[in-house]
Amino acid sequence: MSTHSRLKEQYDQNGYVVIPSLIPPNLFSELEAAAERVINKTRSGEWPHQRTVGRQFPPFDNDSPDSWGVQHVMHPDLGEPVFAKWYTSDELIKVVTALLECGEDELQMELFNMLINPTSHRFALRWHRDDVREDATEEEEQKALDVWHYGVQWNTALYEDSCLFVVPGSHKSARTPEQRARSSTLDPPTDPFDMPGAIQVTIKPGETVFYNSNILHCATYNPDAKRATLHACMGSIKSGSSRARNILQHGLNWMIEPSFRETLDDRGRLCWRG
């Protein structure tokens, strides 16, 4: 069995897989420097597109004084082309096509954001699935999980990151009564390990965790632990419009502009598709 086949098998079985060294050595320092510049712009208010403390999903409240994420890192106005360069790099694309079982010509560019540590708030995001409502019935939940959405999401750490918690295998089955009791409200967990089956995922600098975004997952945020984690997803054109609602809520009108297309290499333009 090939390496990529084994990765695909682990991903399908567990709902996630950790892969090292997907950032070429010549790009790591560039990404780290660009991340630092972007984080500074976000915290100073110069870059308004941010994930703010107090909101888990868009729309975010720009009046909040603290941020836990940076939106749209490939935006031309940020002037950091290294992010798009890595998003379409050989190492990354090989894994994405293996996990999606598609060719490069079938890839669809989606989101690229960054997760950062807040400066003054310690908090958690609630247990959730990205595209299944927390109040879905067992039947509704299983029906949604049975639909393959032709996309993959990933976190790539520039610094050690232990924020993510997942329940392995939960992308395939509806929640148990005990799991449902801990994930049916908008309340974040006091202790993520109270969720039956939960594990903490730690990724070292340069490591990437690819995960099915409908796996049951949550995250904790610590202002004392430096974080700059590249948070992105990519889809396949096989999905049609099935992923559009979840993706377009992030406000991507800027991506259809020619000024963005001009920043992309040939592979990026193929994935872009307008």
Side-chain angles (χ1 to χ4, degrees):
M1 183 181 291
S2 70
T3 298
H4 284 158
S5 295
R6 287 196 297 272
L7 295 176
K8 172 65 172 169
E9 184 177 64
Q10 293 174 34
Y11 177 77
D12 287 345
Q13 179 65 31
N14 298 319
Y16 77 99
V17 64
V18 176
I19 303 175
S21 307
L22 290 186
I23 301 178
N26 63 309
L27 281 189
F28 194 95
S29 59
E30 286 187 56
L31 285 167
E32 191 175 23
E36 194 65 25
R37 289 190 293 268
V38 167
I39 291 170
N40 288 337
K41 287 181 179 180
T42 301
R43 288 177 174 159
S44 71
E46 181 180 349
W47 185 248
H49 306 294
Q50 55 186 296
R51 298 186 178 198
T52 50
V53 173
R55 292 284 302 182
Q56 181 157 337
F57 299 109
F60 296 103
D61 178 12
N62 283 346
D63 292 330
S64 174
D66 207 355
S67 305
W68 58 273
V70 182
Q71 299 284 82
H72 314 319
V73 298
M74 292 192 294
H75 198 300
D77 289 352
L78 269 179
E80 300 291 356
V82 68
F83 291 119
K85 185 177 181 180
W86 179 69
Y87 186 86
T88 58
S89 63
D90 289 342
E91 293 82 354
L92 188 61
I93 292 298
K94 286 177 183 177
V95 174
V96 170
T97 54
L99 296 181
L100 292 181
E101 295 184 315
C102 70
E104 283 190 30
D105 60 340
E106 296 174 297
L107 292 177
Q108 173 69 60
M109 182 176 289
E110 294 184 344
L111 304 175
F112 192 176
N113 304 310
M114 181 163 51
L115 306 176
I116 65 176
N117 58 289
T119 58
S120 57
H121 293 79
R122 184 185 298 268
F123 71 100
L125 302 179
R126 65 181 175 86
W127 283 101
H128 66 285
R129 307 182 191 272
D130 282 5
D131 202 35
V132 182
R133 298 190 327 272
E134 70 280 351
D135 60 352
T137 66
E138 182 175 353
E139 182 179 2
E140 291 171 336
E141 186 175 14
Q142 190 62 59
K143 182 178 179 180
L145 296 179
D146 288 342
V147 177
W148 173 236
H149 292 286
Y150 297 102
V152 64
Q153 186 160 292
W154 67 89
N155 291 352
T156 300
L158 298 182
Y159 307 98
E160 184 169 319
D161 185 334
S162 299
C163 295
L164 180 66
F165 292 79
V166 304
V167 177
S170 60
H171 62 300
K172 297 187 293 185
S173 58
R175 292 163 291 177
T176 66
E178 293 81 7
Q179 291 171 338
R180 184 174 292 275
R182 290 168 172 81
S183 59
S184 292
T185 72
L186 301 183
D187 299 327
T190 302
D191 180 356
F193 286 115
D194 288 341
M195 173 63 73
I199 66 167
Q200 186 173 22
V201 179
T202 295
I203 45 177
K204 304 290 186 181
E207 288 186 334
T208 300
V209 55
F210 290 88
Y211 59 102
N212 183 314
S213 62
N214 274 340
I215 196 172
L216 197 56
H217 63 288
C218 76
T220 58
Y221 282 77
N222 179 357
D224 300 322
K226 186 176 181 66
R227 189 186 198 199
T229 292
L230 309 177
H231 178 60
C233 59
M234 196 175 289
S236 163
I237 59 174
K238 295 176 183 177
S239 68
S241 61
S242 66
R243 291 176 58 80
R245 178 183 57 80
N246 199 41
I247 299 299
L248 295 178
Q249 66 174 324
H250 290 265
L252 301 178
N253 286 341
W254 60 272
M255 292 183 77
I256 65 175
E257 297 296 330
S259 59
F260 172 60
R261 184 180 185 278
E262 290 167 5
T263 67
L264 303 174
D265 60 17
D266 289 343
R267 178 184 274 158
R269 291 174 183 179
L270 181 64
C271 294
W272 176 68
R273 301 180 190 280

